[in-house]
Amino acid sequence: MNNSDFHIDKKARLSMSEESKNNNDTQEVFTNVGDQVQSVDNTVRQTGAADAEGHPVQEVESMCMNCHKNGTTRMLLTRIPYFREIIIMSFECPHCGFKNSEIQPAAQIAEKGARYVLKVEDKKDFNRQVVKSETATVRFNELDIEIPPKRGQLINIEGILQEMITDLESDQEERKKLQPELYQKIQEVIDKIKSYINAEPGTLPLTVSIDDPAGNSWIEYVPGEPSHKWAMYEYNRTAEQNVFLGLISADDVAKHKQEELENKKQATDANISSNLNKKDEPATVVGLSDATEIENLENEVQTFDATCSACYKPCSTHMKSVNIPHFKEVIIMSTVCDHCGYKSNEVKTGGEIPPKGKKITLKVTDPEDLARDILKSETCGLNIPELSLDLTPGTLGGRFTTIEGLLNQVSDELHTRVFTQTSDSMDEETKTRWVAFFAKLQDAIDGRVGFTIEMVDPLAASYIQNVYAPDNDPNMTIEEFERTFDQNESLGLNDMKTD
């Protein structure tokens, strides 16, 4: 998992029965592939989406785009393990024999784009399931091959590579006769792809990434595997990506950029004019009065006009400065768009960049420790060894909550994005590992087991509340460390000029 928004979360804990009740409507429409197959074999038991005759597969007569006669489109509403609901569609024309199949996400376009990265380290990793939407780009780094967005697919890693080989081999016989040099180069690429599929010595690992600005693609995650093998990153879409998804028009983007340029020009002209009018006046320092707290902006929520990054319409951003005792001042910002419903929350720490990073280790030994405030910045990685939980920097974004709230957010994210307990098509070993993981996580949330939180932040912008302050906390240690070159590079500090 890895650049999402921060949230202040102190909501009441939901029981499993309440969670099940909330998901009943969705589960009535979208059921697992195993349930769908069973409903076909057993006509008495009807599960999932059904037509008037009780068939789980919907059939619709539609026009063939090849011969323009009527064919049949079949649709299956199903749930993918570790992911979400999708619609599998296939078309077949009895007149010309044309066939086509694709998938469509049943969920709406996500609030942010998503990029999944998988390191294929052995042959069995090629069986990892992949949901590739029609807006996703697939890249194989070591092969230096990129597949642009095309039709949606439910496939595995090996299937993507085999499709690539099929496409390259389709005209090889003609190339061999007419363009032998081009034939040889393409054949070398085909042989290289096959060597990776066969996991020949010296080929693996192979890095696979899927970048989907709609956030509706996915690579299968296996619980308990090393953290370097699988990662998910979220990001804010650019204006061009919003145009590509059809969320806004290119004219809106051009108009917004033109307005920005005009506003900047007006602000610049106003500053120059103001400076010219005051050049003969004595210099004065204007500051806020200490008379009231409102004038000091300490207890006031500031609201200012902004532009929605999703639809580019006017919206409001709320900002509040909060002084965390024995730490530093942070700024909490919240943006809500009334036009498209876009929401964004984030927390920023003030001050200069510290010369060293910071590692905070807390041993949670009492249920009351779960109520401690915790600030996890976007650059902070979090590890809980007892729970086999490792959040790389960027995962969950910046969060200011409690320890219990953070664990609940981790559980919610895993249930919505990675794991679904209602699936029956996963192997028993994998399901057992997931159930054991969530059981340990729930024990930690309920305060039944102790655990250790390790937070490593290169910018020293994270914090765990010290309930013994100003004295030292016997269960917490804080260590400073020198940032590595790679950490400075990822933070953009190596190229920063301060002279």
Side-chain angles (χ1 to χ4, degrees):
M1 299 167 63
N2 285 348
N3 296 330
S4 61
D5 295 330
F6 116 96
H7 302 277
I8 299 179
D9 185 9
K10 293 188 178 180
K11 61 184 180 182
R13 188 181 305 130
L14 292 177
S15 66
M16 291 299 293
S17 59
E18 289 173 325
E19 292 177 354
S20 176
K21 182 179 179 181
N22 292 338
N23 294 328
N24 275 347
D25 295 339
T26 303
Q27 292 177 5
E28 289 176 359
V29 179
F30 293 92
T31 58
N32 310 316
V33 175
D35 290 340
Q36 301 280 21
V37 173
Q38 187 173 2
S39 68
V40 174
D41 293 339
N42 185 0
T43 55
V44 177
R45 180 187 178 192
Q46 297 180 9
T47 61
D51 59 14
E53 298 177 1
H55 297 148
V57 178
Q58 309 294 313
E59 293 187 356
V60 179
E61 187 176 347
S62 53
M63 186 179 70
C64 174
M65 301 308 295
N66 187 40
C67 67
H68 302 291
K69 295 182 180 180
N70 284 343
T72 302
T73 297
R74 294 177 174 85
M75 295 181 293
L76 175 66
L77 283 65
T78 186
R79 185 189 302 273
I80 299 298
Y82 313 123
F83 188 48
R84 61 182 70 166
E85 299 81 11
I86 64 169
I87 303 173
I88 302 176
M89 297 187 295
S90 68
F91 174 82
E92 183 174 359
C93 178
H95 305 286
C96 66
F98 176 75
K99 296 181 180 180
N100 186 29
S101 62
E102 63 178 306
I103 70 164
Q104 291 287 342
Q108 62 183 359
I109 293 176
E111 186 177 299
K112 293 189 174 186
R115 183 168 66 93
Y116 290 83
V117 180
L118 172 70
K119 281 194 176 294
V120 178
E121 297 181 332
D122 51 54
K123 191 169 177 60
K124 66 180 181 180
D125 286 337
F126 284 105
N127 293 324
R128 294 288 183 103
Q129 201 172 40
V130 173
V131 173
K132 183 172 74 67
S133 78
E134 60 185 7
T135 58
T137 300
V138 182
R139 179 170 178 79
F140 296 89
N141 290 358
E142 287 76 10
L143 293 172
D144 196 20
I145 294 176
E146 184 172 289
I147 303 175
K150 55 180 185 179
R151 63 188 177 90
Q153 290 178 297
L154 172 60
I155 198 169
N156 59 18
I157 302 295
E158 182 177 355
I160 297 175
L161 293 174
Q162 290 290 2
E163 277 194 350
M164 199 184 306
I165 292 174
T166 302
D167 291 341
L168 293 174
E169 287 181 337
S170 59
D171 297 323
Q172 276 296 80
E173 291 300 323
E174 292 297 323
R175 293 193 193 99
K176 190 174 183 179
K177 300 174 183 176
L178 303 176
Q179 297 174 295
E181 293 182 359
L182 179 60
Y183 163 82
Q184 186 59 38
K185 291 181 179 179
I186 293 179
Q187 191 60 42
E188 290 175 0
V189 174
I190 293 174
D191 293 340
K192 186 176 181 180
I193 296 174
K194 288 181 178 179
S195 68
Y196 273 88
I197 293 176
N198 296 328
E200 295 179 4
T203 55
L204 302 182
L206 174 65
T207 305
V208 186
S209 63
I210 296 183
D211 193 330
D212 186 1
N216 286 324
S217 296
W218 164 84
I219 297 179
E220 180 184 359
Y221 172 75
V222 175
E225 66 183 0
S227 59
H228 71 275
K229 286 198 64 172
W230 185 95
M232 188 272 282
Y233 305 86
E234 288 186 324
Y235 59 87
N236 291 317
R237 286 187 289 268
T238 63
E240 290 73 16
Q241 288 173 327
N242 282 326
V243 172
F244 171 66
L245 296 175
L247 299 178
I248 57 175
S249 68
D251 292 339
D252 290 337
V253 176
K255 181 180 178 181
H256 174 69
K257 290 183 177 179
Q258 184 63 31
E259 290 175 352
E260 278 191 338
L261 290 174
E262 291 177 358
N263 291 337
K264 289 180 180 179
K265 185 177 183 301
Q266 291 175 1
T268 302
D269 293 342
N271 288 335
I272 293 175
S273 176
S274 176
N275 290 335
L276 290 175
N277 292 334
K278 295 182 179 180
K279 64 180 181 179
D280 296 328
E281 297 179 5
T284 59
V285 178
V286 180
L288 292 174
S289 167
D290 293 331
T292 65
E293 289 183 345
I294 292 180
E295 287 180 334
N296 284 327
L297 307 179
E298 290 179 356
N299 291 339
E300 184 180 9
V301 176
Q302 301 295 312
T303 302
F304 54 89
D305 296 331
T307 302
C308 176
S309 60
C311 67
Y312 289 100
K313 293 184 178 180
C315 63
S316 297
T317 294
H318 307 285
M319 183 178 69
K320 177 72 167 67
S321 176
V322 177
N323 186 18
I324 299 179
H326 310 288
F327 183 54
K328 62 173 70 174
E329 188 176 81
V330 299
I331 298 174
I332 300 175
M333 304 180 69
S334 172
T335 302
V336 178
C337 179
D338 296 330
H339 301 281
C340 67
Y342 173 78
K343 296 180 181 180
S344 174
N345 300 290
E346 57 183 325
V347 59
K348 299 291 184 183
T349 55
E352 61 181 4
I353 296 176
K356 294 183 178 181
K358 185 177 291 185
K359 177 181 178 181
I360 304 174
T361 304
L362 173 68
K363 292 186 179 297
V364 178
T365 58
D366 190 282
E368 293 184 358
D369 289 332
L370 296 171
R372 294 194 190 209
D373 290 333
I374 182 170
L375 170 62
K376 177 194 162 301
S377 75
E378 292 186 353
T379 59
C380 177
L382 186 145
N383 180 38
I384 303 179
E386 294 85 352
L387 304 180
S388 300
L389 179 64
D390 188 4
L391 304 182
T392 55
T395 305
L396 299 180
R399 303 274 173 143
F400 183 36
T401 178
T402 62
I403 294 177
E404 180 184 4
L406 185 65
L407 294 179
N408 274 314
Q409 289 165 2
V410 170
S411 179
D412 293 343
E413 287 286 325
L414 288 175
H415 272 107
T416 43
R417 296 183 179 275
V418 181
F419 173 78
T420 173
Q421 204 169 11
T422 60
S423 173
D424 64 350
S425 58
M426 68 181 75
D427 60 87
E428 286 301 320
E429 181 183 356
T430 302
K431 185 173 183 179
T432 300
R433 291 164 69 182
W434 270 116
V435 171
F437 170 79
F438 280 111
K440 288 193 298 183
L441 183 59
Q442 191 60 48
D443 285 343
I445 293 174
D446 295 338
R448 290 194 289 264
V449 295
F451 55 91
T452 305
I453 296 180
E454 298 176 356
M455 301 175 65
V456 180
D457 191 345
L459 289 184
S462 298
Y463 155 87
I464 298 179
Q465 180 184 8
N466 178 4
V467 294
Y468 296 90
D471 298 329
N472 292 330
D473 189 331
N475 292 326
M476 181 163 45
T477 59
I478 301 176
E479 309 169 52
E480 291 187 336
F481 61 89
E482 295 286 346
R483 286 188 291 266
T484 64
F485 178 86
D486 290 339
Q487 287 174 329
N488 284 327
E489 184 70 20
S490 64
L491 295 171
L493 300 179
N494 290 334
D495 299 325
M496 187 177 292
K497 306 295 182 183
T498 57
D499 296 337

